[in-house]
Amino acid sequence: PALEGQGIALSLFTVEEGGQNLIHYHPRATELLYVIKGTIEVAFTDTTGTLHANTVKEGQATVFPHALLHFQRNIGKGTSQYISMLNSENPGVMSFPRVFATLPADILAQALRTPIEDIKALQSRVVPPQLSAGGENPDY
């Protein structure tokens, strides 16, 4: 309630050793991330296709520019914790796996120069069973 009407959103993340926050982006926000505990690897890809990767330790911060793909991964020993601060009350989140799974397979096959059968196989692995055709996915 304290943040309501302030144009920001905060989230606390706790990530086990080796865990990660999957590749995603926020269509309506820039993100500032502050590490409370542990060591994490972070990266984003800019609009030129350049990867910007950093190691962020306890007491340090990093920024993910508006609407760019990024991820965080715990590379330290033990649990890591960080706070994500976004400059929108409704930043939105689009995960790369979700986007990949919902785009037409033929379009992805052309873009990735990969046989459509391979694309469909990959897509079938990222869609939860309840969202697949017929409501089941035995390979999930």
Side-chain angles (χ1 to χ4, degrees):
L3 298 180
E4 198 170 307
Q6 301 304 309
I8 60 174
L10 296 174
S11 294
L12 173 65
F13 287 82
T14 302
V15 182
E16 297 301 321
E17 187 173 324
Q20 65 180 313
N21 188 4
L22 297 176
I23 301 167
H24 64 283
Y25 68 95
H26 306 284
R28 296 179 292 278
T30 294
E31 179 177 358
L32 174 65
L33 183 148
Y34 177 81
V35 177
I36 300 167
K37 175 183 166 186
T39 302
I40 63 174
E41 174 188 24
V42 301
F44 69 89
T45 302
D46 69 21
T47 58
T48 68
T50 302
L51 180 70
H52 300 270
N54 290 297
T55 298
V56 185
K57 299 178 180 181
E58 188 172 312
Q60 296 179 329
T62 191
V63 171
F64 302 114
H66 182 145
L68 294 183
L69 287 169
H70 60 278
F71 72 88
Q72 303 90 32
R73 175 173 36 201
N74 181 354
I75 59 170
K77 298 290 182 196
T79 301
S80 67
Q81 276 194 320
Y82 54 89
I83 294 177
S84 167
M85 299 159 269
L86 299 117
N87 67 339
S88 170
E89 287 181 49
N90 183 18
V93 64
M94 295 290 295
S95 74
F96 177 76
R98 171 70 63 166
V99 171
F100 181 84
T102 58
L103 289 171
D106 61 326
I107 298 297
L108 287 170
Q110 286 180 345
L112 299 173
R113 294 180 169 82
T114 302
I116 194 167
E117 297 79 22
D118 294 349
I119 297 296
K120 288 180 178 179
L122 287 170
Q123 287 179 314
S124 73
R125 294 176 56 199
V126 296
V127 177
Q130 66 272 23
L131 299 178
S132 65
E136 293 183 22
N137 185 340
D139 298 322
Y140 184 71

